[in-house]
Coordinates of all heavy atoms in Angstrom, one line a residue:
Chain I
P13 N 30.1 9.7 -4.1 CA 29.2 9.0 -3.2 C 30.0 8.0 -2.2 O 29.3 7.4 -1.4 CB 28.3 8.3 -4.1 CG 29.0 8.1 -5.5 CD 29.9 9.4 -5.4
Q14 N 31.1 7.7 -2.5 CA 31.8 6.8 -1.6 C 32.8 7.8 -0.6 O 33.8 8.1 -1.1 CB 32.7 5.8 -2.2 CG 33.2 4.7 -1.4 CD 34.5 4.9 -0.9 OE1 35.4 5.4 -1.5 NE2 34.7 4.3 0.2
P16 N 33.5 8.5 3.7 CA 33.1 8.1 5.0 C 32.1 9.1 5.7 O 31.6 8.6 6.7 CB 34.5 7.9 5.7 CG 35.3 8.6 4.9 CD 34.9 8.7 3.5
G20 N 26.3 7.5 4.0 CA 25.7 6.7 3.0 C 26.2 7.1 1.7 O 27.1 7.7 1.6
V21 N 25.3 6.6 0.7 CA 25.8 6.9 -0.7 C 25.2 8.2 -1.3 O 24.3 8.3 -2.1 CB 25.5 5.8 -1.6 CG1 26.5 4.7 -1.5 CG2 24.1 5.2 -1.4
K23 N 26.0 12.3 -2.7 CA 27.1 13.0 -3.4 C 26.8 14.4 -3.1 O 25.6 14.9 -3.3 CB 27.2 12.6 -4.8 CG 28.4 13.3 -5.4 CD 28.8 12.7 -6.7 CE 28.3 13.7 -7.8 NZ 28.7 13.2 -9.1
V39 N 23.4 15.6 -4.8 CA 23.1 14.6 -5.7 C 22.7 13.2 -5.1 O 23.5 12.6 -4.5 CB 24.3 14.3 -6.8 CG1 23.8 13.3 -7.9 CG2 24.6 15.6 -7.5
I40 N 21.5 12.9 -5.1 CA 20.9 11.8 -4.5 C 20.3 10.7 -5.4 O 20.3 10.9 -6.7 CB 19.9 12.2 -3.3 CG1 18.8 13.0 -4.0 CG2 20.6 13.1 -2.3 CD1 17.7 13.4 -3.1
G41 N 19.8 9.7 -4.9 CA 19.2 8.7 -5.7 C 20.1 7.4 -5.8 O 19.6 6.4 -6.5
Q42 N 21.3 7.4 -5.2 CA 22.1 6.3 -5.4 C 21.5 5.1 -4.6 O 22.1 3.9 -4.6 CB 23.5 6.5 -5.1 CG 24.2 7.3 -6.0 CD 24.3 8.7 -5.7 OE1 23.5 9.2 -5.1 NE2 25.1 9.3 -6.3
L43 N 20.4 5.2 -3.8 CA 19.8 4.2 -3.1 C 18.5 4.0 -3.3 O 17.7 3.6 -2.5 CB 20.2 4.3 -1.6 CG 19.9 3.1 -0.7 CD1 20.7 2.0 -1.0 CD2 20.3 3.4 0.7
H44 N 18.0 4.5 -4.5 CA 16.6 4.6 -4.7 C 16.2 3.1 -5.2 O 16.6 2.5 -6.1 CB 16.3 5.4 -6.0 CG 14.9 5.3 -6.4 ND1 13.8 5.8 -5.6 CD2 14.3 5.0 -7.5 CE1 12.7 5.6 -6.2 NE2 12.9 5.1 -7.4
R45 N 15.3 2.5 -4.1 CA 15.0 1.2 -4.4 C 13.6 0.9 -4.9 O 13.1 -0.3 -4.9 CB 15.2 0.4 -3.0 CG 16.5 0.6 -2.4 CD 16.7 -0.1 -1.2 NE 16.5 0.6 0.0 CZ 17.0 0.3 1.1 NH1 17.9 -0.8 1.3 NH2 16.7 1.0 2.3
G46 N 12.9 1.9 -5.1 CA 11.5 1.8 -5.8 C 10.5 1.2 -4.8 O 9.6 0.4 -5.2
M47 N 10.6 1.7 -3.4 CA 9.6 1.2 -2.4 C 8.2 1.5 -2.7 O 7.3 0.7 -2.5 CB 9.9 1.6 -1.1 CG 11.2 1.1 -0.5 SD 11.4 1.8 1.1 CE 12.9 1.1 1.5
K49 N 6.7 2.0 -5.7 CA 6.2 1.1 -6.7 C 5.9 -0.3 -6.2 O 5.0 -0.9 -6.4 CB 7.2 1.0 -7.8 CG 6.9 0.2 -9.1 CD 6.0 1.1 -9.9 CE 5.4 0.3 -11.1 NZ 4.5 1.1 -11.9
M50 N 6.8 -0.8 -5.2 CA 6.7 -2.1 -4.7 C 5.3 -2.3 -4.0 O 4.6 -3.2 -4.0 CB 7.7 -2.4 -3.7 CG 9.0 -2.9 -4.2 SD 10.2 -2.9 -3.0 CE 10.0 -4.5 -2.3
I62 N 8.9 -3.6 4.7 CA 9.7 -2.8 3.9 C 9.9 -1.4 4.5 O 11.1 -0.7 4.2 CB 8.9 -2.7 2.5 CG1 8.6 -4.0 1.8 CG2 9.8 -1.7 1.5 CD1 9.8 -4.7 1.6
R65 N 13.2 -0.7 6.2 CA 14.5 -0.4 5.5 C 14.3 1.1 5.0 O 15.3 1.5 4.3 CB 14.5 -1.2 4.2 CG 15.1 -2.7 4.4 CD 14.1 -3.6 4.8 NE 14.7 -4.9 5.3 CZ 14.0 -5.8 6.1 NH1 12.6 -5.5 6.5 NH2 14.5 -6.8 6.4
Y68 N 16.6 3.2 8.4 CA 16.9 1.9 9.1 C 17.6 2.2 10.4 O 18.1 1.1 11.1 CB 18.0 1.0 8.2 CG 19.0 1.9 7.4 CD1 20.1 2.5 8.0 CD2 18.8 2.2 6.1 CE1 21.0 3.2 7.2 CE2 19.6 3.0 5.3 CZ 20.8 3.4 6.0 OH 21.7 4.2 5.2
L69 N 17.8 3.4 10.9 CA 18.2 3.6 12.2 C 16.9 3.6 13.2 O 17.2 3.6 14.4 CB 19.0 4.9 12.4 CG 20.2 4.9 11.6 CD1 21.0 6.1 11.7 CD2 21.1 3.7 12.1
S116 N 28.1 8.9 14.9 CA 28.5 9.0 13.6 C 29.0 10.4 13.5 O 30.0 10.8 12.7 CB 27.7 8.5 12.5 OG 26.4 9.0 12.7
L127 N 31.9 7.4 19.2 CA 31.2 6.4 18.4 C 31.2 4.9 19.3 O 30.2 4.3 19.4 CB 31.9 6.0 17.1 CG 31.3 5.0 16.4 CD1 30.3 5.6 15.4 CD2 32.4 4.2 15.5
L128 N 32.4 4.7 19.8 CA 32.6 3.4 20.5 C 31.6 3.5 21.8 O 30.9 2.4 22.1 CB 33.9 3.2 21.0 CG 34.9 3.0 19.8 CD1 36.3 2.8 20.3 CD2 34.5 1.7 18.9
F131 N 27.8 3.2 20.6 CA 27.4 1.8 20.0 C 27.3 0.8 21.2 O 26.6 -0.1 21.2 CB 28.4 1.4 18.9 CG 27.9 1.8 17.6 CD1 27.9 3.1 17.1 CD2 27.4 0.9 16.7 CE1 27.5 3.5 15.9 CE2 27.0 1.2 15.4 CZ 26.9 2.6 15.1
R132 N 28.2 1.0 22.3 CA 28.1 0.1 23.4 C 26.8 0.3 24.0 O 26.1 -0.8 24.4 CB 29.3 0.5 24.4 CG 29.2 -0.2 25.6 CD 29.9 0.5 26.7 NE 29.5 1.8 26.9 CZ 30.0 2.7 27.7 NH1 31.2 2.5 28.3 NH2 29.5 3.8 28.0
R134 N 24.1 1.5 22.6 CA 23.0 1.1 21.8 C 22.8 -0.4 21.8 O 21.8 -0.9 21.6 CB 23.3 1.5 20.4 CG 22.3 1.2 19.3 CD 22.7 1.9 17.9 NE 21.9 1.4 16.8 CZ 22.3 0.4 16.0 NH1 23.4 -0.1 16.1 NH2 21.6 0.0 15.1
E135 N 23.9 -1.2 22.0 CA 23.8 -2.6 22.0 C 22.8 -3.0 23.1 O 22.1 -4.0 23.0 CB 25.0 -3.3 22.3 CG 26.1 -3.3 21.1 CD 25.6 -4.0 20.0 OE1 24.8 -5.0 20.2 OE2 26.1 -3.8 18.9
M136 N 22.7 -2.3 24.3 CA 21.8 -2.6 25.3 C 20.4 -2.5 24.7 O 19.5 -3.3 25.1 CB 22.0 -1.7 26.5 CG 23.2 -1.8 27.3 SD 23.2 -1.0 28.8 CE 23.2 0.7 28.5
D139 N 19.6 -5.3 22.5 CA 19.3 -6.6 23.2 C 17.9 -6.5 23.5 O 17.1 -7.6 23.6 CB 20.2 -6.6 24.5 CG 21.6 -7.2 24.1 OD1 21.8 -7.6 23.0 OD2 22.5 -7.1 25.0
E142 N 15.7 -7.4 20.6 CA 15.9 -8.8 20.3 C 15.0 -9.6 21.2 O 14.4 -10.6 20.8 CB 17.3 -9.2 20.5 CG 17.7 -10.4 19.5 CD 19.2 -10.7 19.6 OE1 20.0 -9.8 20.0 OE2 19.5 -11.9 19.4
Q147 N 14.7 -9.6 16.5 CA 15.5 -8.8 15.5 C 16.3 -7.7 16.1 O 15.7 -7.2 17.0 CB 14.7 -8.4 14.3 CG 14.7 -9.2 13.0 CD 16.0 -9.1 12.3 OE1 17.0 -8.8 12.8 NE2 15.8 -9.3 11.0
R148 N 17.5 -7.5 15.8 CA 18.2 -6.5 16.3 C 17.8 -5.0 15.6 O 17.7 -4.1 16.3 CB 19.8 -6.6 16.0 CG 20.3 -7.6 17.0 CD 21.7 -8.1 16.4 NE 22.6 -7.0 16.1 CZ 23.4 -6.4 16.9 NH1 23.5 -6.8 18.3 NH2 24.2 -5.4 16.5
M149 N 18.0 -5.1 14.3 CA 17.7 -3.8 13.6 C 16.3 -3.6 13.0 O 15.6 -2.7 13.2 CB 18.9 -3.6 12.6 CG 19.9 -2.8 13.1 SD 21.1 -2.6 11.8 CE 20.2 -1.7 10.6
T150 N 16.0 -4.6 12.0 CA 14.8 -4.4 11.3 C 13.7 -5.1 12.1 O 13.5 -6.3 11.8 CB 15.0 -4.9 9.9 OG1 15.5 -6.2 10.0 CG2 15.7 -4.0 9.0
Chain A
L53 N 37.3 -2.1 2.9 CA 37.0 -0.6 2.3 C 35.8 -0.2 3.0 O 34.7 -0.9 3.0 CB 36.8 -0.9 0.9 CG 36.3 0.4 0.0 CD1 37.4 1.3 -0.1 CD2 36.0 -0.1 -1.4
T54 N 35.7 1.0 3.5 CA 34.6 1.6 4.2 C 33.6 1.9 3.1 O 33.7 2.8 2.3 CB 34.9 3.0 4.7 OG1 36.1 2.8 5.6 CG2 33.8 3.4 5.7
F55 N 32.5 1.0 3.1 CA 31.7 1.1 1.9 C 30.3 0.7 2.4 O 29.8 -0.4 2.0 CB 32.3 0.1 0.8 CG 31.6 0.4 -0.5 CD1 31.6 1.7 -1.1 CD2 31.0 -0.6 -1.2 CE1 31.0 1.9 -2.2 CE2 30.5 -0.4 -2.4 CZ 30.4 0.9 -2.9
G56 N 29.7 1.6 3.1 CA 28.3 1.3 3.5 C 27.4 1.8 2.5 O 27.4 2.9 2.0
L57 N 26.6 0.9 2.0 CA 25.6 1.3 1.0 C 24.2 1.6 1.7 O 23.5 2.5 1.3 CB 25.5 0.3 -0.1 CG 26.5 0.2 -1.1 CD1 26.4 -1.1 -1.8 CD2 26.4 1.3 -2.1
A58 N 23.8 0.7 2.6 CA 22.4 0.9 3.1 C 22.3 0.4 4.5 O 23.4 0.4 5.3 CB 21.4 0.1 2.3
C59 N 21.3 -0.3 4.8 CA 21.0 -0.8 6.3 C 22.2 -1.6 6.8 O 22.5 -1.4 7.9 CB 19.7 -1.6 6.3 SG 18.6 -1.1 5.1
I62 N 25.1 -0.2 8.9 CA 25.1 0.0 10.4 C 25.4 -1.3 11.2 O 26.2 -1.1 12.2 CB 23.5 0.4 10.7 CG1 23.1 1.5 9.9 CG2 23.4 0.7 12.2 CD1 23.9 2.8 10.0
E63 N 24.9 -2.5 10.6 CA 25.5 -3.6 11.3 C 27.0 -3.8 11.1 O 27.7 -4.3 12.1 CB 24.7 -4.9 10.9 CG 23.3 -5.0 11.4 CD 23.3 -5.3 12.9 OE1 23.6 -4.3 13.6 OE2 22.7 -6.4 13.3
M65 N 29.0 -1.3 11.1 CA 29.7 -0.4 12.1 C 29.6 -1.1 13.5 O 30.5 -1.0 14.3 CB 28.8 0.9 12.1 CG 29.2 1.8 11.0 SD 27.9 3.1 10.8 CE 28.4 4.2 12.1
S66 N 28.4 -1.8 13.7 CA 28.4 -2.4 15.0 C 29.4 -3.5 15.1 O 30.0 -3.6 16.3 CB 27.0 -3.1 15.2 OG 25.9 -2.3 15.3
G68 N 32.2 -3.3 13.9 CA 33.6 -2.5 14.2 C 33.6 -2.0 15.4 O 34.7 -1.5 16.0
A69 N 32.5 -1.8 16.1 CA 32.4 -1.1 17.4 C 32.7 -1.9 18.6 O 33.1 -3.2 18.4 CB 31.1 -0.4 17.6
S70 N 32.4 -1.5 19.8 CA 32.9 -2.0 21.0 C 32.6 -3.5 21.2 O 33.4 -4.3 21.6 CB 32.5 -1.3 22.3 OG 31.7 -0.2 21.8
R71 N 31.4 -4.0 21.0 CA 31.1 -5.3 21.5 C 31.6 -6.4 20.6 O 32.1 -7.3 21.1 CB 29.4 -5.4 21.6 CG 29.2 -6.8 22.2 CD 27.7 -7.1 22.2 NE 27.0 -6.4 23.2 CZ 25.6 -6.6 23.5 NH1 25.0 -7.6 22.8 NH2 25.0 -6.1 24.4
Y72 N 31.5 -6.3 19.4 CA 31.9 -7.3 18.4 C 33.4 -7.2 18.0 O 34.0 -8.2 17.9 CB 31.0 -7.4 17.3 CG 29.5 -7.8 17.7 CD1 28.6 -6.8 17.9 CD2 29.2 -9.1 18.0 CE1 27.4 -7.2 18.3 CE2 28.0 -9.4 18.5 CZ 27.1 -8.5 18.6 OH 25.8 -8.8 19.0
P84 N 39.1 4.3 4.0 CA 38.3 5.1 3.0 C 38.6 4.9 1.5 O 38.0 5.2 0.7 CB 38.4 6.6 3.5 CG 38.9 6.5 4.8 CD 39.8 5.2 4.9
P86 N 40.0 3.1 -1.8 CA 40.2 1.7 -2.2 C 41.6 1.3 -2.5 O 41.9 0.1 -2.5 CB 39.3 1.7 -3.6 CG 39.4 3.3 -3.9 CD 39.3 4.0 -2.7
T97 N 22.1 -2.3 -0.6 CA 21.4 -2.4 -1.9 C 22.3 -1.7 -3.0 O 22.7 -0.6 -2.8 CB 20.1 -1.8 -1.8 OG1 19.5 -2.2 -0.6 CG2 19.2 -2.3 -3.0
T99 N 22.2 0.0 -6.5 CA 21.3 0.4 -7.6 C 21.9 0.6 -8.8 O 23.2 0.7 -8.9 CB 20.5 1.7 -7.2 OG1 21.5 2.7 -7.0 CG2 19.8 1.5 -5.8
K101 N 22.1 3.4 -10.4 CA 22.9 4.7 -10.4 C 24.2 4.5 -9.7 O 25.1 5.1 -9.9 CB 22.0 5.6 -9.6 CG 22.5 7.1 -9.8 CD 21.3 8.1 -9.4 CE 21.7 9.6 -9.6 NZ 20.8 10.5 -9.2
M102 N 24.2 3.5 -8.7 CA 25.5 3.3 -7.9 C 26.4 2.3 -8.6 O 27.7 2.4 -8.4 CB 25.0 2.9 -6.5 CG 26.2 2.9 -5.4 SD 26.7 4.7 -5.3 CE 28.3 4.3 -4.4
R105 N 29.8 3.1 -10.0 CA 30.8 3.5 -9.0 C 31.4 2.3 -8.2 O 32.6 2.3 -7.8 CB 30.2 4.5 -8.0 CG 29.9 5.9 -8.5 CD 28.5 6.0 -9.0 NE 28.2 7.2 -9.8 CZ 27.4 8.2 -9.1 NH1 27.1 8.1 -7.9 NH2 27.3 9.2 -9.9
L109 N 35.2 1.4 -8.0 CA 35.9 1.2 -6.8 C 36.5 -0.1 -6.7 O 37.7 -0.4 -6.2 CB 34.9 1.3 -5.6 CG 34.5 2.7 -5.3 CD1 33.4 2.7 -4.2 CD2 35.8 3.4 -4.6
P131 N 14.8 -8.2 -0.9 CA 13.4 -8.0 -1.1 C 13.1 -7.0 -2.3 O 11.9 -6.9 -2.6 CB 12.9 -7.4 0.3 CG 14.0 -6.8 0.9 CD 15.2 -7.6 0.4
F132 N 14.0 -6.5 -2.8 CA 13.8 -5.4 -3.7 C 13.9 -5.8 -5.2 O 15.0 -5.7 -5.9 CB 14.7 -4.2 -3.6 CG 14.7 -3.6 -2.2 CD1 15.5 -3.8 -1.2 CD2 13.5 -2.9 -1.8 CE1 15.4 -3.3 0.0 CE2 13.4 -2.4 -0.5 CZ 14.4 -2.7 0.4
T134 N 13.0 -4.6 -7.9 CA 12.3 -3.5 -8.7 C 13.1 -3.0 -9.7 O 14.3 -3.5 -9.9 CB 12.1 -2.4 -7.6 OG1 13.3 -2.2 -6.9 CG2 11.0 -2.7 -6.6
Y135 N 12.7 -1.9 -10.4 CA 13.3 -1.4 -11.6 C 14.8 -0.8 -11.4 O 15.6 -0.8 -12.4 CB 12.4 -0.4 -12.2 CG 11.9 0.7 -11.3 CD1 12.8 1.9 -11.1 CD2 10.8 0.6 -10.4 CE1 12.3 2.7 -10.2 CE2 10.5 1.6 -9.6 CZ 11.2 2.7 -9.5 OH 10.8 3.7 -8.7
S136 N 15.0 -0.4 -10.1 CA 16.3 0.3 -9.9 C 17.4 -0.4 -9.3 O 18.4 0.1 -9.1 CB 16.0 1.7 -9.3 OG 15.4 1.3 -8.0
V137 N 17.0 -1.6 -9.0 CA 17.9 -2.4 -8.1 C 18.7 -3.5 -8.9 O 18.1 -4.3 -9.5 CB 17.2 -3.0 -6.8 CG1 18.1 -3.8 -6.0 CG2 16.7 -1.9 -6.0
C154 N 19.0 -10.0 6.8 CA 18.5 -8.8 6.3 C 18.2 -7.9 7.6 O 17.1 -7.7 8.0 CB 17.2 -8.9 5.6 SG 16.7 -7.5 4.7
P155 N 19.2 -7.2 8.1 CA 20.6 -7.4 7.9 C 21.2 -8.6 8.8 O 20.6 -9.0 9.7 CB 21.2 -6.1 8.5 CG 20.3 -5.6 9.5 CD 19.0 -6.1 9.1
R157 N 23.6 -10.6 11.2 CA 23.9 -10.2 12.6 C 25.6 -10.0 12.5 O 26.1 -10.6 11.7 CB 23.7 -11.4 13.7 CG 22.2 -11.6 13.9 CD 22.1 -12.7 14.8 NE 22.7 -12.2 16.1 CZ 22.1 -11.7 17.1 NH1 20.9 -11.4 17.1 NH2 22.8 -11.4 18.1
P158 N 26.1 -9.3 13.4 CA 27.5 -9.1 13.4 C 28.3 -10.4 13.5 O 29.4 -10.6 12.9 CB 27.8 -8.2 14.6 CG 26.5 -7.5 14.8 CD 25.5 -8.4 14.3
A194 N 31.3 10.4 -12.7 CA 32.0 10.6 -11.5 C 32.5 9.3 -10.8 O 32.0 8.2 -11.2 CB 30.9 11.2 -10.4

Side-chain angles (χ1 to χ4, degrees):
Chain I
Q14 194 265 330
V21 279
K23 186 165 104 174
V39 178
I40 56 177
Q42 283 95 341
L43 193 56
H44 176 62
R45 306 188 265 201
M47 288 183 183
K49 185 80 180 174
M50 277 171 88
I62 306 296
R65 278 94 189 154
Y68 37 78
L69 294 175
S116 50
L127 177 95
L128 296 176
F131 268 71
R132 175 195 62 189
R134 181 170 170 266
E135 289 291 340
M136 293 198 288
D139 282 350
E142 205 178 334
Q147 261 283 26
R148 282 160 53 86
M149 259 182 67
T150 45
Chain A
L53 175 65
T54 313
F55 194 53
L57 283 164
C59 333
I62 307 297
E63 283 297 66
M65 279 163 80
S66 290
S70 0
R71 183 185 285 187
Y72 295 98
T97 320
T99 62
K101 197 167 179 178
M102 192 63 196
R105 289 92 189 257
L109 284 168
F132 302 104
T134 54
Y135 52 89
S136 56
V137 175
C154 195
R157 298 178 59 92

